[in-house]
Each structure stands twice: as C-alpha cells, then as structure tokens.
Amino acid sequence: MKNLSKLSTIAMLAMLTACGNQQSHNNTPIKLPSQGGRQSTRSTIKVPYIERGNVKVIPVKLNDVSMDMIFDTGASGIHISLHELQTLQKNGQFSEADCIGTSLSQIADGSIVQNGLIILRKVAITDDVVLTDIEASVALNQEAPLLLGNNVLDEFSTIEIDNENKTINFKK
C-alpha cells in the first residue's frame, strides 16, 4: 500500500511538472450562476466557520469534492496541496486537461517555491454560490494548507466576519 501511495505521488508530480510545459493561461473570469433572469432576493450568504488554532475554516466543494479550507484574506487565490489534488483525481474530478502550467510563489517564511497551476471547474462555497473555472495553485508537497483567498473573495462587495454567530457573511 505504501508503494502504491509513493507511485501515485510520483505520477502526480510528473503530471504537474508536465503542466509547466503547457501554454501559459490567462486568468479566466469567475462566473456566478445566473438566476434564470430573476434577481435573487438573498444578497447576503452566511457560511458557518469553525476555528482550528487561530484560523477560520469553512466547508467548500472543489469539483464536487468536499474539503475544509482556511478563509485567508492574505492569500492571492486558491491554494491546495498535492494530497487534495490526488483526492480530486481519485474521485474522477481532475485530469491532465485541467493542468495549465506552473508558477512561483512567496510563502510566509519569505522563500520562493514552485507550484503547479490547475483549473478547478467548480468551486462551491454554498449551493447558492458556485464559481466556475477558477485558477488554483498546487503545492508540490502533501502538507500545505488549503487556502481560500482573494481571487474568490474579490467577487463579493463585502465580506463580514460575525464572531458572535461564527459565520462569514458574503454580500454580493
């Protein structure tokens, strides 16, 4: 079983490395689902959070696979680890066609690391907020935190943290 896991990791790293050989990708605009021509009466979406350590974590579905992500206003976008990418692949929710390249990022300790770049076909914060074709970076290790950052958060006019009710309120 351990050898299978190592082989899977090696295969995933090879796939992400191959992403670097593909054409650079322009940021695809985030598309919010249409309401069938009618205006939604619900302008504030409340998402419950839990605290783990000193961070707020919310449930999100990436390509229909549930994951808990850190709500991080300091992150530039969505960031996942190689482990989550493998989970997406095992669930049939990621393929080589979703690879778009590689990028360099500065992490919290100031060092520069290389990441894979992928497209997430669907990011669902709630059933009411589904974003499509979102660029995400993938850390080439198993233990990087899952971050929900600004390329998603910037789609809302206001984001408010309600510490009393333990919700993050997204306003369109």
Side-chain angles (χ1 to χ4, degrees):
M1 193 68 140
K2 245 184 197 179
N3 287 339
L4 182 60
S5 177
K6 284 182 182 178
L7 287 174
S8 177
T9 300
I10 290 168
M12 193 63 62
L13 283 169
M15 185 182 296
L16 282 173
T17 302
C19 284
N21 297 327
Q22 295 186 12
Q23 193 76 311
S24 177
H25 183 270
N26 292 334
N27 285 344
T28 304
I30 295 172
K31 300 172 202 139
L32 295 175
S34 72
Q35 299 294 320
R38 60 183 183 153
Q39 198 67 307
S40 173
T41 57
R42 186 173 167 187
S43 61
T44 299
I45 298 143
K46 295 183 178 197
V47 178
Y49 70 82
I50 59 172
E51 291 185 53
R52 289 190 188 145
N54 291 326
V55 298
K56 292 169 177 49
V57 177
I58 62 173
V60 176
K61 286 186 179 180
L62 304 179
N63 292 353
D64 293 322
V65 177
S66 296
M67 299 186 185
D68 289 337
M69 299 191 78
I70 296 170
F71 174 78
D72 187 349
T73 58
S76 61
I78 290 182
H79 186 74
I80 65 173
S81 75
L82 189 57
H83 174 76
E84 283 73 33
L85 185 64
Q86 289 170 322
T87 299
L88 291 172
Q89 184 183 36
K90 286 177 188 175
N91 284 284
Q93 299 299 319
F94 175 78
S95 72
E96 192 171 338
D98 298 319
C99 288
I100 57 173
T102 58
S103 69
L104 298 175
S105 300
Q106 185 173 11
I107 59 176
D109 70 3
S111 61
I112 304 293
V113 296
Q114 184 173 15
N115 297 308
L117 284 178
I118 63 169
I119 288 291
L120 293 169
R121 300 294 168 204
K122 185 172 160 184
V123 177
I125 297 173
T126 69
D127 290 341
D128 296 327
V129 180
V130 179
L131 311 173
T132 59
D133 298 329
I134 304 297
E135 189 174 293
S137 60
V138 180
L140 300 180
N141 69 55
Q142 296 283 347
E143 297 161 10
L146 280 77
L147 305 177
L148 182 68
N150 285 322
N151 71 337
V152 172
L153 305 179
D154 286 349
E155 290 304 307
F156 301 93
S157 64
T158 305
I159 298 173
E160 178 181 87
I161 299 172
D162 181 345
N163 289 316
E164 186 175 319
N165 294 308
K166 297 216 179 281
T167 62
I168 298 174
N169 304 325
F170 297 89
K171 294 183 183 181
K172 290 174 100 180

